[in-house]
Amino acid sequence: MRLEIDGACRDVDEALLRRVADACEQEEGLTGRYQALAMFVTDERIREINCEMRKKDAATDVLSFPTCTYPRGTARDNESLLRREIDPDTGCVHLGDIVISLEHARAQAEEYGHSAAREIGYLLAHGLMHVMGYDHMNEADKRAMREKEEAALARAGLSRDGDGELLAAAREMTTRAYAPYSRYTVGAALRSKDGRVFTGCNVECAAYGMAMCAERTALCKAVSEGAREFEAIAIASNGSAPYPCGACRQMLYEFAPDLRVLVTWGDQVRETTLNALLPEGFGPSSLPGMEEK
């Protein structure tokens, strides 16, 4: 699906938004060329739109404006009707417009305990399902819509399972990286055994050797917040496979020799363990008198 994006959204990269849009199209089973517009706005702006278009003077998280009303079923049941809505400039059928409040999305992400990327991805999927004819006026319709949304989010790597959340958080952090010298941006998300997630990005400086990797940024943040036991880390990059460097492997090994390691770049996801990346590692238990600690 061709997704037009209006407004800055620093919480999630455009590639992920486009993956969500493509996943929604695939879940619906559409066969033509389709497009939608996603607008990212403030609470005040979405309140104005809500007031103007729906006569409701209140901010909300997402608004959807379908191009047409479906006489039966959803978009896949009305493709002949939709083909009348072709945009002459793009050659795509325009499904409709989605407006998302970034302020609402960030607040809801914090409330629900997941990443802003997951929440924004969900709101986009919810909006796209609306413009494809889904609704939640009764329990049966609500259940069908939620199933479609979650299936699409799983396709896009934003499922509710822990790994999907962790990967999404790591991808999100690549947009925060400071890498003016290498142009190789890396994000990391480290999950502690108590379920907390600590994120980090790589930070470079003109004295090249002083650069800090994303993995160690996340680890130091976690330790400073009292976390000492970890179960998994996700590492994302804008280039090749971002396996951790030797220094990061050693620092992570200090706290979690059995750590699960997920690396993602492009559409690829690979899983390994820290023990596999650092065989016969040297850690606290290797020191005299530390065997029992």
Side-chain angles (χ1 to χ4, degrees), residues 127-146:
L128 286 169
M129 289 301 165
H130 270 308
V131 300
M132 290 192 295
Y134 291 87
D135 214 330
H136 41 76
M137 299 301 290
N138 58 56
E139 283 303 315
D141 289 347
K142 181 178 180 179
R143 184 164 53 253
M145 187 174 182
R146 292 293 292 139

Side-chain angles (χ1 to χ4, degrees), residues 190 193 215-216 219-220 222-223 227-231 233 244-259 261 273-275 277-287 290-291 293:
L190 178 64
K193 288 190 175 180
E215 299 93 312
R216 277 177 283 160
L219 178 62
C220 290
V223 172
R228 294 291 188 276
E229 297 182 313
F230 306 98
E231 60 182 23
I233 188 170
C245 71
C248 289
R249 297 181 195 195
Q250 184 64 55
M251 285 288 289
L252 291 167
Y253 194 89
E254 179 79 10
F255 296 92
D258 299 318
L259 190 71
V261 179
T273 65
L274 192 56
N275 271 319
L277 294 174
L278 190 64
E280 304 297 328
F282 186 93
S285 63
S286 305
L287 295 171
M290 296 291 288
E291 295 86 350
K293 299 183 180 180

Side-chain angles (χ1 to χ4, degrees), residues 14 61 68 92 104 107 109 121 132 165 179 218 245 252 254 258 266 292:
E14 291 190 5
D61 53 1
C68 65
C92 299
H104 252 70
M132 290 192 295
E165 286 285 305
C245 71
L252 291 167
E254 179 79 10
D258 299 318
E292 302 298 323

Side-chain angles (χ1 to χ4, degrees), residues 32-110:
R33 296 181 63 202
Y34 293 87
Q35 69 180 28
L37 170 65
M39 300 172 60
F40 295 96
V41 300
T42 63
D43 266 358
E44 178 58 26
R45 181 58 184 141
I46 205 169
R47 185 194 67 79
E48 292 172 353
I49 296 171
N50 202 15
C51 187
E52 177 184 353
M53 303 299 293
R54 302 173 67 234
K55 310 305 178 188
K56 294 187 177 182
D57 190 10
T60 186
D61 53 1
V62 58
L63 295 171
S64 304
F65 301 101
T67 296
C68 65
T69 301
Y70 303 104
R72 59 184 177 84
T74 57
R76 67 171 176 267
D77 304 309
N78 295 272
E79 288 201 84
S80 59
L81 173 66
L82 282 168
R83 291 192 184 101
R84 302 175 190 171
E85 306 297 336
I86 291 180
D87 181 337
D89 294 327
T90 64
C92 299
V93 173
H94 191 72
L95 293 172
D97 302 341
I98 298 107
V99 185
I100 295 172
S101 165
L102 289 173
E103 291 174 69
H104 252 70
R106 291 165 187 152
Q108 288 174 180
E110 185 173 350

Side-chain angles (χ1 to χ4, degrees), residues 259-275:
L259 190 71
R260 291 175 60 238
V261 179
L262 304 166
V263 295
T264 181
W265 69 105
D267 294 327
Q268 301 295 310
V269 178
R270 301 283 171 79
E271 179 176 345
T272 185
T273 65
L274 192 56
N275 271 319

Side-chain angles (χ1 to χ4, degrees), residues 106-160:
R106 291 165 187 152
Q108 288 174 180
E110 185 173 350
E111 177 185 353
Y112 301 147
H114 55 223
S115 68
R118 157 74 197 193
E119 185 64 18
I120 292 167
Y122 164 71
L123 293 175
L124 176 60
H126 186 76
L128 286 169
M129 289 301 165
H130 270 308
V131 300
M132 290 192 295
Y134 291 87
D135 214 330
H136 41 76
M137 299 301 290
N138 58 56
E139 283 303 315
D141 289 347
K142 181 178 180 179
R143 184 164 53 253
M145 187 174 182
R146 292 293 292 139
E147 287 175 358
K148 282 286 186 181
E149 290 165 354
E150 290 301 332
L153 291 172
R155 277 181 183 265
L158 286 174
S159 62
R160 282 189 179 277

